Amino acid sequence: MFNLILFGPPGSGKGTQSEKLIEKYGLIHLSTGNLLREEIANQTKLGLEAKNFMDHGQLVPDEVVIGMIRSALEHNPKAKGFLFDGFPRTVAQAKALDDLLAEKNAAIRIVLALEVGQEELVQRLLHRGKTSGRSDDTKEEVIRARIIEYENKTAPVAGYYEQFGKVVHVKGVGGIDEIFRSLCQQIEARQTVQ
Ligand code: AMP
């Protein structure tokens, strides 16, 4: 299995690049943000609970998202690999993911970390908010709260994977295709090593 994490702050281009990467490498896309928005659209109990956190730019509790990932892994036993997008967002989630993958004799091969400056992120998200239909993209204070959550709780996840030499930093500014090529180069370098 080839499992990768596309890592980076909100607005760094994870969703856009994920779509291109899953198509090229035949991976299954697991975006906890998308899964949560589906729960909200279906008005499930989980969705209603998660919405309150999401509307305030806060992370949803670990056990909720870990449960969603556990069931997604169980539903795809034959996958040749997964692309995790927006997960893990805390070190506790990262450790839980390692354990879930270990049960399948698998592991994270590479963490691709997209680097984008903070003001660029705010501008991108406000711009996306005009068309995305996402309420958390329209209010600047919610966008800033998401970036603060990222700095406090999610940025340490890169440190967690760095101890295993799994993190590669990629410039997330420039053309979509140029960034995609940089990501592909890093994936292909790892695919040939192991
Ligand atoms: P995203 O679509 O990845 O930007 O996620 C949108 C929102 O969903 C985030 O601001 C969080 O409130 C919530 N969320 C998504 N993924 C996670 C996660 N792995 N852990 C906690 N909350 C999450």
Side-chain angles (χ1 to χ4, degrees):
M1 273 178 113
F2 189 91
N3 297 305
L4 78 91
I5 294 172
L6 193 53
F7 189 79
S12 56
K14 299 188 297 296
T16 304
Q17 295 296 337
S18 291
E19 294 300 335
K20 294 170 75 72
L21 291 168
I22 56 162
E23 194 185 328
K24 177 158 177 155
Y25 296 107
L27 303 172
I28 292 193
H29 185 195
L30 291 184
S31 153
T32 40
N34 288 351
L35 293 171
L36 288 165
R37 281 184 289 277
E38 266 171 41
E39 296 281 342
I40 293 173
N42 294 330
Q43 301 193 320
T44 65
K45 184 164 169 280
L46 188 157
L48 293 175
E49 281 169 15
K51 187 175 185 319
N52 201 23
F53 292 97
M54 294 165 76
D55 283 348
H56 291 92
Q58 292 166 352
L59 293 188
V60 170
D62 285 339
E63 55 276 17
V64 173
V65 285
I66 292 166
M68 289 192 324
I69 291 290
R70 179 185 294 114
S71 95
L73 293 178
E74 281 166 7
H75 280 95
N76 290 286
K78 299 218 170 86
K80 64 186 250 206
F82 294 94
L83 185 161
F84 297 93
D85 160 10
F87 180 89
R89 263 180 157 98
T90 62
V91 172
Q93 291 178 23
K95 290 181 176 166
L97 177 60
D98 280 353
D99 291 345
L100 288 170
L101 290 174
E103 286 171 22
K104 294 165 124 358
N105 289 322
I108 292 297
R109 190 77 64 84
I110 185 170
V111 179
L112 292 166
L114 289 167
E115 308 287 335
V116 179
Q118 195 155 316
E119 280 316 304
E120 166 89 12
L121 295 173
V122 175
Q123 294 316 316
R124 283 188 189 183
L125 289 169
L126 283 171
H127 183 71
R128 186 172 85 181
K130 291 181 189 155
T131 54
S132 68
R134 282 181 54 168
S135 55
D136 59 346
D137 283 346
T138 49
K139 295 196 196 90
E140 186 165 338
E141 76 260 26
V142 175
I143 290 175
R144 292 204 183 265
R146 286 158 66 197
I147 295 174
I148 291 169
E149 282 283 80
Y150 173 82
E151 294 297 340
N152 290 338
K153 298 180 185 165
T154 307
V157 172
Y160 170 77
Y161 286 110
E162 246 147 31
Q163 64 179 319
F164 308 114
K166 292 187 176 176
V167 183
V168 177
H169 296 271
V170 173
K171 198 173 92 179
V173 186
I176 290 175
D177 290 333
E178 180 192 347
I179 298 167
F180 180 61
R181 273 194 296 277
S182 310
L183 294 171
C184 293
Q185 267 171 10
Q186 296 299 338
I187 291 172
E188 280 153 34
R190 290 279 167 139
Q191 276 182 325
T192 49
V193 172
Q194 291 175 44

